[in-house]
Amino acid sequence: MNYNWNWGIFFEASPEGTGSYADMLLSGLIWTIVTALCAWVIAFAVGSVVGVLRTLPSRGAQAVGNAYVELFRNIPLLVQMFLWFFVLPEVLPESWGTWLKQLPNAPFYTAVVCLGFFTASRVAEQVRAGIQALPRGQRMAGTALGLTTAQTYRYVLLPNAYRIILPPLTSEFLNNLKNTSVALTIGLLELTARARAMQEFSFQVFEAFTAATVIYIIINLLVVTVAGVIERRVAVPGR
C-alpha cells in the first residue's frame, strides 16, 4: 500500500486557524466528555424513576414504565437522533420550532437529550433487575418498620440495588460515552467528528482514527478503573 505515514501531523497547524490538529482532537474530546456526562445525569435520573415504576404494585405505573422502555429501547439511536433534531422542531408550534432551530449549540443540547432518554431506557432495565434481585424480606422489613413505599425505596431497596447493578451501570455509561459519536450526524463536533475532519483536511486517515481509537480506549479504561474502586468501597460486607 502506497501510503505516506506522518505521525507529526498532530503538531501541524490545522486549516481552522485555531491551533494544531492535536488541539482539534482535544476540543472533540472535551465535547465528548461533556455530552456524555450531561446525558448520563438525565439517563440515571429518568432511568431510576422508570425502573422504580416497573417494580411498583400499581399496574398503571408498570404500564407507563414498560411503555417508556419499549419505545426508547426499540428505536435505533440514529433514528432517534434525527427525530429529535430534524422532526421535533417541525411538529411543534412554529414559534417553538423556530426557537429550537436558532438555539446556540443546538446539536449539543439535542445530543444530550437524545442520549439521555435513550440510555435511560437501558438504565431502567438495570434498576428493575436490581430491585427484583433483592430478597422479598427487605421490602417487607420496610413495611414492618412503618415506612411508606417511597421511604422503603429510598432507604432500603435502592441503596442495595445500586450496589448490585454498579457493574452493568458502568457498561451503560461506557456505551453512553461511545454513543456520543452518533451525534456527528447532526453536526456535533465531538471526538469522532474531529478525527473525521482531520482526515479530510490532511488525508492522514490512519493517523487521525488511530489517535481517536487510542483516546477512546484510555477514557474507557479510566472509567472502568474508577468504577472498580467505587464498587469495592460500596460492596456489602460479607458478600
Side-chain angles (χ1 to χ4, degrees), residues 189-203:
L189 297 178
E190 44 71 57
L191 181 56
T192 302
R194 285 299 192 177
R196 185 177 179 181
M198 175 181 171
Q199 172 257 318
E200 292 175 348
F201 287 144
S202 66
F203 300 101

Side-chain angles (χ1 to χ4, degrees), residues 23-47:
D23 294 325
M24 283 181 58
L25 295 178
L26 179 60
S27 173
L29 173 61
I30 293 173
W31 278 109
T32 292
I33 294 175
V34 172
T35 303
L37 291 177
C38 292
W40 182 251
V41 171
I42 297 175
F44 186 77
V46 176

Side-chain angles (χ1 to χ4, degrees), residues 97-230:
T98 302
W99 176 78
L100 283 177
K101 293 175 184 178
Q102 297 176 350
L103 191 67
N105 295 322
F108 167 72
Y109 296 113
T110 301
V112 167
V113 173
C114 178
L115 284 171
F117 283 102
F118 173 79
T119 309
S121 65
R122 304 178 63 87
V123 172
E125 276 290 279
Q126 306 298 345
V127 172
R128 177 195 62 82
I131 293 174
Q132 293 181 343
L134 297 174
R136 291 184 57 190
Q138 294 195 14
R139 187 189 298 265
M140 297 170 63
T143 303
L145 290 171
L147 300 179
T148 64
T149 300
Q151 290 173 329
T152 300
Y153 273 91
R154 178 180 177 184
Y155 296 113
V156 180
L157 300 180
L158 285 177
N160 290 321
Y162 285 136
R163 290 177 174 180
I164 295 174
I165 65 175
L166 184 56
L169 282 183
T170 302
S171 296
E172 295 302 340
F173 180 81
L174 293 177
N175 288 333
N176 176 65
L177 179 67
K178 291 178 286 187
N179 283 339
T180 57
S181 61
V182 178
L184 70 86
T185 58
I186 61 172
L188 181 63
L189 297 178
E190 44 71 57
L191 181 56
T192 302
R194 285 299 192 177
R196 185 177 179 181
M198 175 181 171
Q199 172 257 318
E200 292 175 348
F201 287 144
S202 66
F203 300 101
Q204 304 295 144
V205 57
F206 290 107
E207 290 86 343
F209 285 101
T210 297
T213 300
V214 171
I215 292 173
Y216 276 121
I217 291 175
I218 292 174
I219 295 299
N220 289 344
L221 289 177
L222 287 175
V223 171
V224 171
T225 301
V226 172
V229 173
I230 296 175

